[in-house]
Amino acid sequence: MSLTAARFDVNLSLLFTELPLLGRPAAAAAAGFDAVELWWPWPDDPDPGKTALDDLRTALETAGTRLVGLNFYAGRLPGPDRGALSLPGAESERFRANIEVAADFAASVGCTALNALYGNRVDGVDPAEQDALALDNLVRAAAAADRAEATLLIEALNAAESPRYPLVDAEAAVAVVERVNEASGLSNARFLLDVYHLAMGGADLEAVISRHADVVGHVQIADLPGRGAPGTGALPLPDLLAHLDRAGYGGFVGLEHKPSSGGSAASFGWLAR
């Protein structure tokens, strides 16, 4: 596994979090990366205002880093939430309020991938009602992403860590991708293939890649167990990335893993190997 085999970006919501948000792009650049990704950085605010957005844009530009992936508002991450778009009431309204904010910011920094976490099931609410709400919100998000010249990403999480999240395998996430593309008529919804989450669910990762490579819009990796850096666990990540290459995936691979015991800056020794 090397930078010549795949293009890696650093997830600044898991790595370099010992620094304030605006210091993280420069830290990633100092570690040798020119691409980064982020969960929505303001978990309590779908619209943090022009100053906060301008400051983040400036931090990215000053560091010479490109934002290649951004989540829409998803609630508290890390924390109990797993998205907002399928939750009736205030959280769904927060998601809608964030759609244009996130898409406009993505367009302003050249970010071409926007991730929309589906949200947990809610006690007392018919799952069909949540799914209908989700489809409506995802079609809205797809239209905003299209205007920003970005793809809309749909991600599967794992049931062990997210037991109330309904998309816990590749097939469920890809089915949502297909429904959104059909409903929107835009064909810009894609599957976010997170190796760690799929492995936690016991998936045959090579088979998932073979079946769904044509709809993969972004890839994220971490090792298993522990969600550490590549080489800290048992996943054959070099082989999986090579399989992705053979299957035709040429996009970014997000490093969405926890920092090593030596800290974030010491988490990338595996690249030299």
Side-chain angles (χ1 to χ4, degrees), residues 77-97:
L77 294 177
D81 300 328
R82 296 293 184 271
L85 62 93
S86 68
L87 278 60
E91 280 299 274
S92 176
E93 291 302 319
R94 281 172 170 253
F95 177 82
R96 290 186 182 185

Side-chain angles (χ1 to χ4, degrees), residues 5 9 11 16 47-48 57 68 70 80 96 115 129 133 147 150-152 163 170 184 198 229 236 259 265:
D9 70 83
N11 187 296
F16 298 110
D47 184 357
R57 184 184 302 107
V68 299
L70 176 67
R96 290 186 182 185
N115 186 28
E129 178 185 339
L133 176 62
R147 290 191 290 273
T151 57
L152 171 69
S184 71
L198 296 175

Side-chain angles (χ1 to χ4, degrees), residues 6 9-10 26 51 57 77 87 89 93 108 110 115 136 140 144 160 165 175 180 183 205 211 219-220 247:
D9 70 83
V10 177
T51 298
R57 184 184 302 107
L77 294 177
L87 278 60
E93 291 302 319
S108 75
N115 186 28
D136 182 51
R140 294 169 185 249
Y165 191 83
V180 173
L205 294 170
R211 283 196 304 270
V219 173
Q220 292 173 332

Side-chain angles (χ1 to χ4, degrees), residues 101-224:
V101 176
D104 287 349
F105 182 76
S108 75
V109 296
C111 176
T112 56
L114 287 159
N115 186 28
L117 287 174
Y118 201 84
N120 290 326
R121 291 305 193 201
V122 178
D123 288 338
V125 179
D126 185 346
E129 178 185 339
Q130 285 195 253
D131 291 340
L133 176 62
L135 182 59
D136 182 51
N137 281 332
L138 286 168
V139 168
R140 294 169 185 249
D146 182 64
R147 290 191 290 273
E149 300 184 351
T151 57
L152 171 69
L153 299 174
I154 308 297
E155 182 177 9
L157 304 182
N158 73 81
E161 296 173 332
S162 305
R164 310 201 70 175
Y165 191 83
L167 311 183
V168 293
D169 56 37
E171 284 63 38
V174 171
V176 172
V177 167
E178 292 170 347
R179 287 197 292 273
V180 173
N181 283 335
E182 181 178 2
S184 71
L186 294 170
S187 299
N188 67 332
R190 309 283 286 177
F191 173 43
L192 195 167
L193 193 158
D194 187 304
V195 170
Y196 168 78
H197 284 299
L198 296 175
M200 279 284 289
D204 180 334
L205 294 170
E206 288 205 358
V208 167
I209 292 167
S210 296
R211 283 196 304 270
H212 301 302
D214 61 329
V215 294
V216 172
H218 189 60
V219 173
Q220 292 173 332
I221 62 171
D223 217 329
L224 186 74

